[in-house]
Amino acid sequence: MSPLRATVNCDLGEGFSLYTLTDDEALMKTIHLANIACGFHASDFTIMDKTVQWAKENSVLVGAHPSLPDRQGFGRREMIMKPEELMSCFVYQVGALCGFLQKHGIVLNHIKPHGAIYGQTARSDVLARAVVGVCQIFSTIDHPVSFVGLAGTAHQRAAEDLGIKFIPEWFADLEYSQSGELLITQVHDPVKPDVIRDRVERLLNFHEISTNANTFIPLDYNIDEVTICCHSDTPGAVKNAELVKSIVDENNCRLSGSSV
C-alpha cells in the first residue's frame, strides 16, 4: 500500500472586528490551502481582505469557508434549511469572498463548508448537492472550483454526480467515532503532539483513521490524496500545523523520490 499524497489546510479569517482568534499570518506560512471565513460564522470585510492578502503573499490556495448564519454559535449549531435556501446562503458568502480575490488578483480554488453544515451535508445527499452545486456557479473553463469534504459520504457522491473535483479531507485535531463519523465539537480541545503525529502517520502510511476507541478504520474510498485540516481555534494551532506540515512534506518527498 503506497502512502497518500497530502496537503495541509486550515480554516482562517475567523476573528471579528478588533477580536482575533489565532495567529492567521503565522498559520498561513505552514499550509497549502486556506479556507477563509465569509462572514456568517466569523470574519468581516476587513479581516477577509487581509486574510486573502496573506494567502497571496504566501502562495497559498484560497477556498471559501461558508457557514450557516450562526455567528453567536460560531456556525457549530445545526439549523434546518431547504436545499435552495442553503444554496443561496452559500452563493452569498462565496460571492463576497470572490470580490476580495478579484481585488488581489487570485482565483477561488475550492469550497469547504464550515461547522454544523459540514456534518449535515455529509449525511444528506440533497443538501450535499445544493452546496456542491455552488462550485459549478463559480467555476470557469480555465479555473474549475473543487469541493473539500469527507470521503465516502454525501460530499463525495454529490461531487462525482455533478462532475466537481472532490478533495477528501481528514482532521488532525478532531476525533472520529468507532463507526468512522467525524465528531464536530463546538469548542476544540487541545491535542498532544504525539497523538497528532500518530494519527497523521497512520493515515498517510496505512490509509487508516484512528478512532476514539483506540481502533482503526480503513480509508477505502478509492482515493490517493487527502488534505489534512488543522483548526485555527484548537489550542496550539500554529505548532499543530507546523508538525503536520513537516510530516506531510516528508511524506510527499518520499513519494516523489526527492529529499526534504
Side-chain angles (χ1 to χ4, degrees):
M1 180 180 295
S2 61
L4 291 170
R5 186 167 297 278
T7 58
V8 183
N9 79 82
C10 189
D11 307 336
L12 296 174
E14 292 184 320
F16 182 75
S17 183
L18 300 178
Y19 302 98
T20 57
L21 188 66
T22 188
D23 190 344
D24 280 4
E25 189 173 10
L27 280 166
M28 201 70 80
K29 301 179 186 302
T30 68
I31 61 175
H32 305 96
L33 310 178
N35 319 305
I36 298 181
C38 302
F40 273 29
H41 75 282
S43 197
D44 57 39
F45 44 82
T46 301
I47 290 176
M48 289 170 70
D49 187 22
K50 189 66 176 178
T51 309
V52 170
Q53 179 184 330
W54 284 333
K56 182 178 181 179
E57 291 172 353
N58 289 279
S59 300
V60 172
L61 298 175
V62 173
H65 197 39
S67 167
L68 293 169
D70 175 32
R71 182 170 287 168
Q72 189 164 350
F74 203 67
R76 289 178 177 155
R77 299 182 293 191
E78 292 199 357
M79 184 180 297
I80 298 173
M81 296 184 78
K82 296 178 181 178
E84 59 271 21
E85 183 183 14
L86 181 60
M87 175 178 275
S88 295
C89 175
F90 271 41
V91 169
Y92 184 96
Q93 295 176 76
V94 177
L97 179 65
C98 283
F100 293 106
L101 296 179
Q102 186 171 356
K103 173 187 174 182
H104 291 282
I106 55 180
V107 297
L108 181 68
N109 182 72
H110 63 277
I111 295 174
K112 172 191 166 181
H114 166 82
I117 197 60
Y118 186 95
Q120 287 179 257
T121 51
R123 299 191 301 269
S124 167
D125 288 287
V126 174
L127 293 180
R129 287 182 68 89
V131 297
V132 173
V134 178
C135 293
Q136 292 179 319
I137 295 172
F138 289 94
S139 290
T140 66
I141 295 176
D142 295 330
H143 298 287
V145 176
S146 303
F147 186 84
V148 173
L150 292 177
T153 70
H155 287 164
Q156 186 171 9
R157 292 191 294 272
E160 291 173 352
D161 288 347
L162 296 175
I164 297 297
K165 180 183 177 181
F166 178 70
I167 303 176
E169 181 177 37
W170 175 86
F171 294 82
D173 52 7
L174 291 182
E175 292 190 326
Y176 290 78
S177 71
Q178 295 182 59
S179 62
E181 179 185 2
L182 176 67
L183 302 177
I184 301 174
T185 54
Q186 189 164 15
V187 178
H188 295 164
D189 294 327
V191 186
K192 293 180 180 179
D194 287 348
V195 173
I196 289 179
R197 176 177 292 278
D198 288 345
R199 288 175 179 174
V200 174
E201 290 182 344
R202 179 163 290 275
L203 176 81
L204 296 180
N205 295 322
F206 301 104
H207 300 201
E208 290 181 339
I209 298 172
S210 305
T211 76
N212 59 359
N214 293 321
T215 58
F216 308 104
I217 298 174
L219 185 67
D220 55 358
Y221 303 114
N222 193 30
I223 61 174
D224 57 10
E225 67 170 326
V226 66
T227 186
I228 300 174
C229 179
C230 297
H231 283 97
S232 62
D233 63 316
T234 297
V238 175
K239 293 294 185 182
N240 292 344
E242 289 174 346
L243 172 59
V244 175
K245 178 70 159 45
S246 68
I247 299 170
V248 165
D249 283 347
E250 182 178 346
N251 174 80
N252 292 347
C253 285
R254 186 168 66 250
L255 285 175
S256 63
S258 60
S259 58
V260 178

